[in-house]
Amino acid sequence: DTTVKQNPRYKLARVGKPVNLICSQTMNHDTMYWYQKKPNQAPKLLLFYYDKILNREADTFEKFQSSRPNNSFCSLYIGSAGLEYSAMYLCASRQGQDTQYFGPGTRLLVL
Amino acid sequence: QQNVQQSPESLIVPEGARTSLNCTFSDSASQYFWWYRQHSGKAPKALMSIFSNGEKEEGRFTIHLNKASLHFSLHIRDSQPSDSALYLCAVRTGGYKVVFGSGTRLLVSP
């Protein structure tokens, strides 16, 4: 089973409120990623976990948090959502040098 | 800083046509190259990958890589309506970071 699951699939949030998105995979992959995708733009890497080590991109360092309580789960946390956070959030996992497997995404709308 | 560009942004082709999608990258140290396909409402799914210069064919799909020209491409033979999707190219230099292009939206008309 090469399924990556994401919850929720759709999320409506108010400006200034927190948002927590969940990703899970049962492939025992060592690396999990979070991307932000806006229309007509490339998926933008936000952060990734290699095992228990979190790597956050410099330009989004303060905007997103994450946790990986075990190998299967990874969350993406926004402390205070702004309008600019409205986007599709894609989770992916990978083992070693292999291909990334993506989840279906969570569409976040901030009002 | 890796820069990955795709062309064209969108493409409409008739069923049965040959389709060519292009991807350029800026980091000459790039080592791994993928094409992903995303149907509407679905997860992006890896279609093909290539790690050395040359061509690789899988069914109706061929991927071509030219590292010297910082370019790789995807060719679809006998395009089908089911090929209609967003195609994303992706490049990895070494570590764990993968950089994506913004995508080519392909529509194959019956």
Side-chain angles (χ1 to χ4, degrees):
Chain A
D1 181 12
T2 56
T3 302
V4 177
K5 296 182 180 179
Q6 292 189 240
N7 287 297
R9 292 293 309 275
Y10 302 91
K11 175 72 177 176
L12 181 63
R14 296 295 180 186
V15 171
K17 296 298 185 182
V19 175
N20 196 44
L21 308 181
I22 303 295
C23 177
S24 65
Q25 50 90 12
T26 55
M27 298 171 280
N28 202 34
H29 284 174
D30 55 17
T31 310
M32 294 185 74
Y33 300 80
W34 280 101
Y35 291 87
Q36 180 192 64
K37 190 174 188 317
K38 295 185 176 182
N40 302 318
Q41 295 183 20
K44 177 182 170 55
L45 180 65
L46 301 176
L47 53 90
F48 66 91
Y49 265 99
Y50 170 65
D51 196 13
K52 291 179 171 52
I53 302 170
L54 174 61
N55 298 268
R56 287 186 285 177
E57 290 294 285
D59 58 345
T60 55
F61 190 87
E62 296 179 346
K63 294 184 177 181
F64 299 93
Q65 298 284 340
S66 183
S67 67
R68 193 178 186 187
N70 56 56
N71 197 47
S72 300
F73 288 87
C74 188
S75 67
L76 181 70
Y77 181 75
I78 300 168
S80 177
L83 295 176
E84 71 278 13
Y85 286 85
S86 293
M88 174 72 81
Y89 289 85
L90 294 167
C91 174
S93 69
R94 189 180 75 179
Q95 178 64 34
Q97 307 298 321
D98 201 358
T99 299
Q100 285 180 310
Y101 292 88
F102 280 88
T106 294
R107 190 172 294 280
L108 173 65
L109 179 60
V110 182
L111 299 175
Chain B
Q1 182 87 0
Q2 178 78 276
N3 183 24
V4 178
Q5 298 290 328
Q6 288 188 240
S7 64
E9 289 186 8
S10 61
L11 190 58
I12 302 175
V13 301
E15 184 175 355
R18 175 182 167 88
T19 301
S20 294
L21 310 177
N22 298 293
C23 187
T24 61
F25 53 97
S26 60
D27 188 345
S28 58
S30 299
Q31 298 178 357
Y32 307 97
F33 307 86
W34 287 268
W35 283 98
Y36 284 79
R37 182 168 70 179
Q38 185 177 21
H39 286 109
S40 182
K42 303 290 186 183
K45 188 174 181 181
L47 192 59
M48 289 186 74
S49 60
I50 192 166
F51 304 147
S52 57
N53 271 336
E55 278 193 0
K56 180 179 174 183
E57 181 177 336
E58 291 180 1
R60 296 185 294 110
F61 299 89
T62 302
I63 190 171
H64 180 85
L65 171 64
N66 185 330
K67 287 188 180 182
S69 61
L70 304 176
H71 175 266
F72 68 111
S73 56
L74 178 70
H75 306 278
I76 307 173
R77 176 172 47 86
D78 187 23
S79 299
Q80 299 297 307
S82 58
D83 295 329
S84 298
L86 179 69
Y87 288 79
L88 296 163
C89 66
V91 181
R92 184 161 70 89
T93 302
Y96 295 94
K97 184 172 179 177
V98 177
V99 180
F100 285 83
S102 56
T104 293
R105 193 164 296 279
L106 173 65
L107 177 63
V108 181
S109 59

